[in-house]
Amino acid sequence: MVEGGFTKLFQKKSFFHFTQNYQPLGSGEPEEETHEDCELKIIEQEEEVTVLPARDACKRHKDDLAKALNVDLQSGLSEFSVLQRRLKHGWNEFSVENSKPIWKKYLDQFKNPLILLLLASALVSVITKEYEDAASIAMAVLIVVTVAFIQEYRSEKSLEELNKLVPPECNCLREGKLQHLLARELVPGDIIYLSVGDRVPADLRLIEVTDLLVDESSFTGEAEPCNKSDNVLLEAGDITTLSNVVFMGTLVRYGKGKGIVIGTGENSQFGEVFKMMQAEETPKTPLQKSMDRLGKQLTLFFFGIIGLIMLIGWLQGKHLLSMFTIGVSLAVAAIPEGLPIVVTVTLVLGILRMAKKRVIVKKLPIVETLGCCNVICSDKTGTLTANEMTVTQLVTSDGFQAEVSGVGYNGEGNVYLLPSKEILKEFSNVSVGKLVEAGCVVNNAVIRRNSMMGQPTEGALIALAMKMELADIKDIYVRKKEIPFSSEQKWMAVKCTLKNQDQEDIYFMKGAFEEVIRYCTLYNSSGISLSLTPQQKAFYQQEEKRMGSSGLRVLALASGPELGKLTFLGLVGIIDPPRAGVREAVQVLLESGVSVKMITGDALETAVAIGQNIGLCNGKLKAMSGEELDQLAEAELSSTVKNVSIFFRTSPKHKLKIIKALQRAGAVVSMTGDGVNDAVALKSANIGIAMGRAGTDVSKEAANMILVDDDFSTVMNAIEEGKGIFYNIKNFVRFQLSTSISALSLITLSTVLNLPNPLNAMQILWINIIMDGPPAQSLGVEPVDRDTIRQPPRRITDTILSKSLILKIFVSAIIIISGTLFVFWKENPKSGITPRTTTMTFTCFVFFDLFNALTCRSQTKLVFEIGFFRNRMFLYSVLGSFLGQLAVIYIRPLQKIFQTENLGVLDLLFLTGLASSVFIVSEFVKLCEKRCCRPKPTKACQN
């Protein structure tokens, strides 16, 4: 399904067709024919152009590049060249195999071993002329596969509405004209113009740049936009160092530029990720593996019953064919055809509960897989953090310190003066007010309706001014001049004057501390400018170092009448902070035995600062870089990655390497991410989780789950659901197998020992309805227990039929068989079986069933702990079954069908007391387990 979804992202409806019309000889239009021949010659004569790798293109001068790509930088490509190149390089999109037709997807649902086993039992029922059994099993199978198919199909359809990451349009220079084209029409050698807000349509080598800043966080994980230039590079490192190349799908944040297309479609950096994704296969979920194992176990049980019955019959001298027929009938009856329905319904209800919590789950078994998850690898930017730069600390030139609350560009939050925690507004503290004012004035960002346009660091300063109620202060100034930021000078300044006042001009400057301080001769002290001393400079340097070491990006601010005579105002610390609720979610996950690892393209200091902030391993962090990962052998990597909390400076290949190493070490890995660089890892992980708002569409298509509101803490709810679902499936299996073994054993014993049958055919059918009907189904919808999240993840090797569960099944079965046989013996007169005998035996078995269902609501907690009324569906179904049983006993038409008779009140009280023994013994076993086997607290920190 994931592959099919990802296929849709890149598949387009229209394809290029190159057709040529030929004129017949002697047509009377020789001029037109000659013109067409010329066009063909031009196409044939053009040299073949090859795609240039980014690492090669970045080292070439623009004239060499133009020559290599055979393009005129002033006029662009001709239409003939475009056609020729398109024939060789194809469209600027991704060629993929056609999606599976709907009927194939529907038939895929039948590949489940348990479904195949049920179909086999239906076939056997037809052969033995048990048509009613065959019809009921076939109906159960159809319900299961249809519900599963509809749910997965709906999830797929909901994703089709998402916008595609590959940009639809661009500005391209062709034949000397600037044209507005679809991005899919581009070919290598096209000249592209970029401006603010554009998504880059293909991999480009920049040839002209004006203050160009490009957001490459979807590739690199870096929250800060990259400064781009058109200078030739001497050496080419990884993609983060290629300052004169921009990649398909990245976003222009500021400035403008012009570039030559060097890579399209699968030959782009985006295409590299796509090819890696095609090579990856989504692993089977633990539930699918558990159901496969259960199917095999039930198959062995199936053949074991047949073999045992035939052996005993042969030893007794009975006809083998008749014994084979009995054995097959019993085995078919023993197979829990309700199990696939319960599993499917339980998973669908889990998906619906997750949908209410704003989580889209694309495949049914994925919800349960989260119950096995013991490692969460999370991308930092946009996942653990909001990908919104935010000011968190202020230090004024006269020593005041303040901290800032609130995240992002909405202006929510306050500025608190330390240590008093006084909330500051406007100029209630002059020094802080002047610092914030400068940051707001020397600024080109705009925030409208919580949306920021411009550089993220400038957006952070505007948001700070909004919190101080100073956002409008820049309107009192008229800007006369701007000295833009450049990577060489590392500062920006504006020259302003106050509106409607004849005052001297004032400069405002922001930038790197070491550069800004060079232009300062004074420092601000509560609104008064004092001479800047070496001691003051040393203090500022120390504060700048302290803030930088904690992962903050530090900006210095100054103002004054002229450059070189500025007044230093202070320092501002900016970071992309953790999302709200992430710290609490991480702590709960660690306490429940789930290890959380951060994987980022960011620098070590920033990654460690966020890691400490969210409480990764309670601050005991071990970090590893992408370069260090490359140096480790495969075996060594598997043992090392388990103990690392932070991976920094990583690429998509590193993320894949980490996940594969963890999986080899036996971990069930969940990967959360939002960028193109996360897509391959999302697909290869056991559970891929994408962000709905900030996430790129390629990451959403690759993932199994989508957090609609980007709330990392909902992963915790999903894990809780996953654990609860598996427990509910185990509860159902315990109930159904203990009941079916009891019914089988009664019939088998009576058949083998030549005793009269204690139950007639209609009574067995009624028991089968209870066994597979509402009481059994309602066990699958038991609400998730509040303590479930605190339970350690279940091991992937754990089967549904664990030794403990098998023991409990047999204990319950022995009690039910013993009690029912005791009633059968007690009520069996010497003259032969009477309606009272079968009624008492039948009612006894049904009451045992209902008490057994009550204790099967939880494997570990007493019914009094979980509450009688929490699962209302169970309550109604048990009550309905009880009233149904009374109807079978006391309503005359039903008495004739089921061959029953009226029972007295004392009879019912006796049967209730006897049947409750299975409930009492099971609850006592739970109590003993709680006293003797107290679980040790788990902590997922291995460092």
Side-chain angles (χ1 to χ4, degrees), residues 659-679:
I659 285 170
K660 294 285 188 189
L662 287 165
Q663 288 173 332
R664 280 196 301 273
V668 178
V669 185
S670 170
M671 172 75 196
T672 64
D674 67 326
V676 175
N677 59 335
D678 302 318

Side-chain angles (χ1 to χ4, degrees), residues 259-408:
I260 305 177
V261 174
I262 56 171
T264 59
E266 291 183 23
N267 294 314
S268 64
Q269 189 68 30
F270 192 101
E272 287 296 313
V273 176
F274 170 71
K275 282 185 274 192
M276 286 171 69
M277 277 199 61
Q278 280 192 314
E280 283 304 310
E281 287 188 12
T282 306
K284 260 194 172 184
T285 69
L287 181 64
Q288 287 169 325
K289 291 174 183 174
S290 295
M291 296 306 287
D292 288 353
R293 281 196 292 269
L294 183 61
K296 288 169 187 171
Q297 288 167 336
L298 291 176
T299 305
L300 291 173
F301 179 68
F302 183 105
F303 288 112
I305 289 283
I306 296 171
L308 182 66
I309 296 287
M310 287 181 70
L311 178 64
I312 293 169
W314 178 67
L315 291 172
Q316 290 181 336
K318 291 184 179 179
H319 195 267
L320 276 179
L321 185 59
S322 64
M323 295 311 295
F324 174 76
T325 305
I326 291 169
V328 167
S329 301
L330 291 174
V332 167
I335 291 173
E337 61 263 35
L339 178 58
I341 295 178
V342 166
V343 170
T344 304
V345 169
T346 305
L347 292 172
V348 168
L349 287 172
I351 282 177
L352 294 176
R353 283 194 294 266
M354 293 310 300
K356 287 179 184 175
K357 293 172 183 174
R358 308 286 288 159
V359 178
I360 296 174
V361 180
K362 291 163 67 177
K363 292 200 80 173
L364 285 180
I366 289 300
V367 184
E368 184 279 332
T369 309
L370 282 153
C372 298
C373 174
N374 49 21
V375 179
I376 294 180
C377 293
S378 181
D379 175 50
K380 179 186 76 70
T381 307
T383 306
L384 295 174
T385 66
N387 199 12
E388 294 180 329
M389 300 300 282
T390 306
V391 175
T392 57
Q393 287 184 34
L394 302 174
V395 177
T396 67
S397 53
D398 49 355
F400 286 109
Q401 295 199 9
E403 67 178 17
V404 187
S405 65
V407 176

Side-chain angles (χ1 to χ4, degrees), residues 657-830:
K657 213 171 181 181
I658 292 162
I659 285 170
K660 294 285 188 189
L662 287 165
Q663 288 173 332
R664 280 196 301 273
V668 178
V669 185
S670 170
M671 172 75 196
T672 64
D674 67 326
V676 175
N677 59 335
D678 302 318
V680 184
L682 286 170
K683 189 177 177 187
S684 64
N686 299 89
I687 311 118
I689 306 172
M691 301 293 115
R693 285 183 180 172
T696 55
D697 299 304
V698 66
S699 67
K700 291 173 193 171
E701 291 290 351
N704 309 112
M705 284 172 54
I706 297 167
L707 308 183
V708 177
D709 293 332
D710 295 3
D711 187 357
F712 181 81
S713 59
T714 51
V715 174
M716 192 170 60
N717 302 125
I719 287 176
E720 194 174 50
E721 282 291 338
K723 290 177 179 177
I725 282 168
F726 188 75
Y727 294 147
N728 285 353
I729 291 168
K730 285 186 82 167
N731 296 341
F732 172 82
V733 168
R734 177 185 170 184
F735 167 72
Q736 197 168 55
L737 289 184
S738 58
T739 304
S740 62
I741 287 170
S742 304
L744 270 173
S745 301
L746 281 174
I747 299 163
T748 305
L749 284 169
S750 62
T751 305
V752 171
L753 300 175
N754 281 323
L755 296 173
N757 202 327
L759 302 168
N760 63 42
M762 288 306 296
Q763 290 168 352
I764 291 171
L765 181 63
W766 176 252
I767 288 167
N768 206 39
I769 287 170
I770 292 176
M771 193 170 77
D772 289 326
Q777 304 288 330
S778 63
L779 288 172
V781 298
E782 187 73 32
V784 176
D785 188 67
R786 293 181 189 88
D787 295 333
T788 301
I789 190 64
R790 307 274 175 193
Q791 300 294 321
R794 73 178 179 89
R795 288 186 299 247
I796 197 167
T797 52
D798 289 352
T799 58
I800 292 174
L801 283 176
S802 60
K803 288 180 182 177
S804 167
L805 190 66
I806 291 170
L807 185 64
K808 287 174 181 174
I809 288 168
F810 278 109
V811 166
S812 297
I814 289 166
I815 294 169
I816 294 169
I817 294 163
S818 304
T820 308
L821 285 176
F822 170 72
V823 170
F824 181 63
W825 168 78
K826 178 177 172 290
E827 298 295 332
N828 194 5
K830 292 178 182 177

Side-chain angles (χ1 to χ4, degrees), residues 426-458:
E426 296 183 333
F427 288 93
S428 57
N429 181 292
V430 176
S431 299
V432 174
K434 278 189 161 293
L435 181 63
V436 174
E437 177 192 32
C440 187
V441 176
V442 61
N443 203 311
N444 291 318
V446 177
I447 295 178
R448 287 199 190 100
R449 297 175 185 171
N450 301 341
S451 179
M452 193 276 298
M453 291 175 285
Q455 296 181 42
T457 48
E458 292 193 335

Side-chain angles (χ1 to χ4, degrees), residues 430-489:
V430 176
S431 299
V432 174
K434 278 189 161 293
L435 181 63
V436 174
E437 177 192 32
C440 187
V441 176
V442 61
N443 203 311
N444 291 318
V446 177
I447 295 178
R448 287 199 190 100
R449 297 175 185 171
N450 301 341
S451 179
M452 193 276 298
M453 291 175 285
Q455 296 181 42
T457 48
E458 292 193 335
L461 293 172
I462 296 288
L464 172 66
M466 290 163 69
K467 292 169 189 176
M468 287 275 289
E469 297 178 2
L470 289 171
D472 296 329
I473 200 162
K474 67 191 302 184
D475 296 337
I476 69 171
Y477 291 97
V478 177
R479 185 181 292 191
K480 289 185 171 181
K481 180 184 176 185
E482 176 184 334
I483 304 170
F485 178 90
S486 73
S487 54
E488 289 78 24
Q489 68 185 27

